């Protein structure tokens, strides 16, 4: 199967998603896609162990904090964007070439896998997709899992080409509610400031509207229909991604919301990479509490 014909199996509902059945067909043909396992959850640092316990055959593990983020700091936040050279090296290490088709998955509704999807798109990779429903969808098809550290692979030749996805800094984010829509995709209790398990201050950026990224998923961890997601964005005033900035706790789950925008047929908005972890660490930045944006 050529790269062109492999791409033809992309989910017709959304060109960003593949189903488990489509991935099964892909891995049975040549060339096979590069499959990335990005299992990570807030408070669960054991993604590699989960991968060893069972993963899609042929998948390569990607460590979110080590491969998909730069060094944590109060200045840049908990998961800043990785340096260009380090990200390029990590992608080559898992066998990604410039002409590779890449499929990414996790076991939590693509809320962490979306980080790899966004970074690859940011770095100029177009042929990259999310496995809708993740590992659970693969298992539901009756497919076996592989165990252990995975098979050795040939190093890839992926070349980083910067800035194919848009980002904003803290100053631009502060002014954004006067220019467009600023979305906070964290859980409502964190947005309102009732709890804050990770960062130094609780609350949200003044003017931000809360739309939890988990709202885009059904009970199986698969994305809702595009029409429904589009309605959810329209309800908060988003009809064009060019007018939208998205943030979360540290720039991970916000990428899931940006994927949802593309699934809905909207142009993906801008990411504030530092997100609340950067904003809240700067004591000069104002915060808002409660259910209202201001």
């Amino acid at each position: 199967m050529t790269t062109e014909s492999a791409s033809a199996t992309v989910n017709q509902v959304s060109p960003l998603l593949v189903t488990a059945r489509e991935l099964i067909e892909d891995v049975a043909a040549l060339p096979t896609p590069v499959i990335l396992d990005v299992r990570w959850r807030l408070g669960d640092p054991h993604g590699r162990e989960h991968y060893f316990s069972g993963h899609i055959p042929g998948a390569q593990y990607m460590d979110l904090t080590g491969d998909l983020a730069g060094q944590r700091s109060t200045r840049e936040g908990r998961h800043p964007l990785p340096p260009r050279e380090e990200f390029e090296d990590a992608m080559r290490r898992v066998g990604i070439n410039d002409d590779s088709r890449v499929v990414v998955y996790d076991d939590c509704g693509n809320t962490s896998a979306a980080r790899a999807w966004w970074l690859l798109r940011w770095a100029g990779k177009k042929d990259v997709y999310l496995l809708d429903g993740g590992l659970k969808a693969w298992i539901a098809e009756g497919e076996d899992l592989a165990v252990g550290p995975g098979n050795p692979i040939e190093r890839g030749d992926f070349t980083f080409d910067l800035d194919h996805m848009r980002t904003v800094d803290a100053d631009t984010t502060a002014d954004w509610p006067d220019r467009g829509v600023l979305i906070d995709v964290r859980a409502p209790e964190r947005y309102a400031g009732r709890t804050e398990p990770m960062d130094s201050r609780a609350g949200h950026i003044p003017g931000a509207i809360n739309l939890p990224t988990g709202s885009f998923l059904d009970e199986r961890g698969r994305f809702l229909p595009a029409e429904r997601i589009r309605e959810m964005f329209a309800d908060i005033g988003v009809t064009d991604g060019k007018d939208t900035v998205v943030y979360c706790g540290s720039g991970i789950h916000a990428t899931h919301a940006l994927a949802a925008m593309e699934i809905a047929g909207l142009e993906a908005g801008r990411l504030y990479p530092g997100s609340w972890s950067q904003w809240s660490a700067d004591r000069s930045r104002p915060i808002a509490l409660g259910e209202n944006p201001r």
Side-chain angles (χ1 to χ4, degrees), residues 40 62-72 77-83 86-87 90-91 115-116 119 122 250-252 273:
W40 176 90
M62 297 241 61
D63 181 69
L64 189 143
T65 57
D67 296 325
L68 304 178
Q71 186 173 359
R72 174 177 180 167
R78 284 187 280 114
H79 295 110
L81 299 182
E86 293 180 13
F87 181 70
M91 297 304 103
R115 172 74 169 205
L119 286 172
W122 172 65
S250 64
I252 304 301

Side-chain angles (χ1 to χ4, degrees), residues 106-124:
D106 58 28
D107 61 354
C108 51
N110 280 309
T111 53
S112 58
R115 172 74 169 205
W117 165 82
W118 187 92
L119 286 172
L120 281 163
R121 288 279 303 276
W122 172 65

Side-chain angles (χ1 to χ4, degrees), residues 152-175:
I153 57 167
E154 184 177 346
R155 185 175 176 83
D157 63 10
F158 174 69
T159 304
F160 192 110
D161 186 15
L162 186 61
D163 285 345
H164 291 266
M165 300 289 270
R166 296 166 296 175
T167 63
V168 296
D169 60 15
D171 289 337
T172 301
T173 300
D175 296 335

